[in-house]
Amino acid sequence: MDFVAIDFETANSLRSSVCSVGVVVVKNGKIHEEVQTLINPLSEFHYFNTRVHGITENMVQDAPTFEEFWPQLKPYIDKQMIIAHNASFDIGVLKESVGRCYETQPEYQYSCSYRIAKKVWPDLYNHKLSTVANYLSISLKHHDALEDARAAALIVLEAMKKTRTSSINELSHLHKIKIGDSVTLKKPNSRAKISIEDKPLTYIETQINEPNPRHPFYGAHIVFTGKMDSMTRSSAAQYAVDRGAICKGAVDVDTNFLIVGDQALTKYVEGVKSSKMLKAEALIQKGIPLEIVGEQDFLKLVRH
């Protein structure tokens, strides 16, 4: 029952923009040590990330950078079994952040408390960290890195208790959950696919004779992802086209804006990402001037 639970919060859509780290060390089935710190990401804070976790640029001015904190963090990671909720996000953050520092990647195995909870408590209406924590009466201030890491650790311990297993490997074998490791990490498949919902967007024509050439969307290539709360995707595309935008179904090197619906935005910050989001992040990492914009910011821009 030895493992380490981790959680990262990020300042923006880049996985290397860590602004907070939470670490919970479990030994012999009990929490042995906890570590938390703010991190200066040396990059800008996006409003929707701050809206979720509450961390601002001013709060991290005197905090260490990831590179400065890495010598303290590495011993908790190297040659350990790592747990995180939506582990693909946190492991991706770890990998990108270490790579950004030109450090050697540590060796570790990892598993996901989300996948574990989904197998052990299949009847829950969803398996978000807050939902599972509430079901198990685990106290949680969601999107606080230490609180999230602790909740992930306690969820795994409860899962072991329920299944009468004594290790992550035994629990994973019982429920056929894959154990990942740092050696075989693969890049996500980011091949562009156009959904049936997106195909009609490319044929929308402007209803305004002369769109304002000074509008931020004028001449911009725009892609939508996730369900929007305020309107349908086609209505949103019409607003964008009326401002001079070109709407497309897939993210590519010419894309200027990826518009993310409110529901998908919350999942995005939690690490649940669509193929379009992953493609956009990969292009941003390569220096492509692409911006990920939330639904509320999109509405402000189209009304501008």
Side-chain angles (χ1 to χ4, degrees):
M1 290 191 178
D2 293 357
F3 60 88
V4 177
I6 62 171
D7 184 79
F8 295 103
E9 300 296 331
T10 56
N12 53 56
S13 60
L14 296 179
R15 292 195 177 190
S16 59
S17 66
V18 177
C19 61
S20 182
V21 181
V23 179
V24 174
V25 180
V26 174
K27 289 187 176 182
N28 298 318
K30 295 182 179 180
I31 292 178
H32 175 75
E33 184 180 359
E34 296 184 338
V35 178
Q36 181 179 28
T37 184
L38 291 174
I39 296 290
N40 188 335
L42 300 177
S43 60
E44 66 176 334
F45 279 74
H46 286 182
Y47 95 96
F48 45 81
N49 289 65
T50 294
R51 186 177 69 179
V52 168
H53 52 54
I55 302 171
T56 65
E57 185 175 351
N58 288 337
M59 294 169 63
V60 302
Q61 289 300 310
D62 297 323
T65 64
F66 187 90
E67 184 174 11
E68 291 169 339
F69 186 67
W70 177 238
Q72 294 173 250
L73 179 61
K74 183 178 179 180
Y76 294 105
I77 304 294
D78 200 25
K79 296 179 175 58
Q80 301 298 320
M81 170 62 75
I82 307 300
I83 284 291
H85 209 77
N86 292 318
S88 60
F89 170 75
D90 293 282
I91 296 300
V93 168
L94 176 62
K95 183 181 178 183
E96 292 289 339
S97 299
V98 172
R100 184 184 179 188
C101 301
Y102 303 101
E103 295 281 351
T104 302
Q105 294 288 339
E107 295 179 15
Y108 52 84
Q109 290 185 306
Y110 67 92
S111 189
C112 178
S113 55
Y114 172 86
R115 294 184 180 276
I116 289 171
K118 200 170 181 179
K119 291 287 188 178
V120 177
W121 298 282
D123 295 331
L124 292 181
Y125 65 93
N126 68 49
H127 295 83
K128 293 165 56 177
L129 185 64
S130 55
T131 301
V132 183
N134 182 63
Y135 175 75
L136 297 174
S137 299
I138 296 171
S139 175
L140 173 66
K141 179 184 175 184
H142 202 9
H143 298 300
D144 174 284
L146 182 57
E147 293 260 341
D148 285 1
R150 185 188 302 121
L154 293 173
I155 286 169
V156 171
L157 290 174
E158 286 294 329
M160 288 184 184
K161 181 179 178 181
K162 181 176 175 62
T163 57
R164 298 182 179 180
T165 53
S166 58
S167 70
I168 302 294
N169 283 304
E170 186 181 354
L171 177 61
S172 299
H173 179 73
L174 177 66
H175 288 290
K176 298 180 180 179
I177 301 171
K178 184 178 179 181
I179 295 288
D181 64 73
S182 56
V183 178
T184 59
L185 278 175
K186 296 181 180 179
K187 293 183 178 180
N189 184 353
S190 58
R191 289 187 299 171
K193 295 182 180 179
I194 301 177
S195 68
I196 294 175
E197 184 180 12
D198 284 325
K199 287 180 180 178
L201 303 188
T202 59
Y203 298 102
I204 293 177
E205 297 181 355
T206 181
Q207 297 176 349
I208 296 176
N209 290 332
E210 296 182 7
N212 181 2
R214 294 184 179 180
H215 194 279
F217 287 160
Y218 187 85
H221 290 215
I222 291 180
V223 177
F224 293 87
T225 188
K227 183 178 179 181
M228 302 186 79
D229 288 335
S230 56
M231 65 185 75
T232 64
R233 188 176 295 184
S234 58
S235 296
Q238 185 67 65
Y239 273 114
V241 170
D242 287 346
R243 272 99 187 133
I246 300 167
C247 290
K248 304 190 299 184
V251 174
D252 57 28
V253 293
D254 295 320
T255 304
N256 302 111
F257 296 96
L258 175 63
I259 310 301
V260 183
D262 273 347
Q263 294 182 32
L265 183 61
T266 300
K267 293 180 180 179
Y268 171 64
V269 176
E270 292 176 349
V272 181
K273 305 182 181 184
S274 68
S275 59
K276 292 177 183 177
M277 295 173 183
L278 293 170
K279 178 68 173 178
E281 288 185 342
L283 291 172
I284 291 170
Q285 287 279 52
K286 293 179 180 178
I288 302 298
L290 190 162
E291 186 173 351
I292 298 175
V293 177
E295 180 176 341
Q296 297 306 312
D297 270 358
F298 170 76
L299 292 176
K300 292 177 183 177
L301 285 169
V302 295
R303 291 166 181 165
H304 180 65

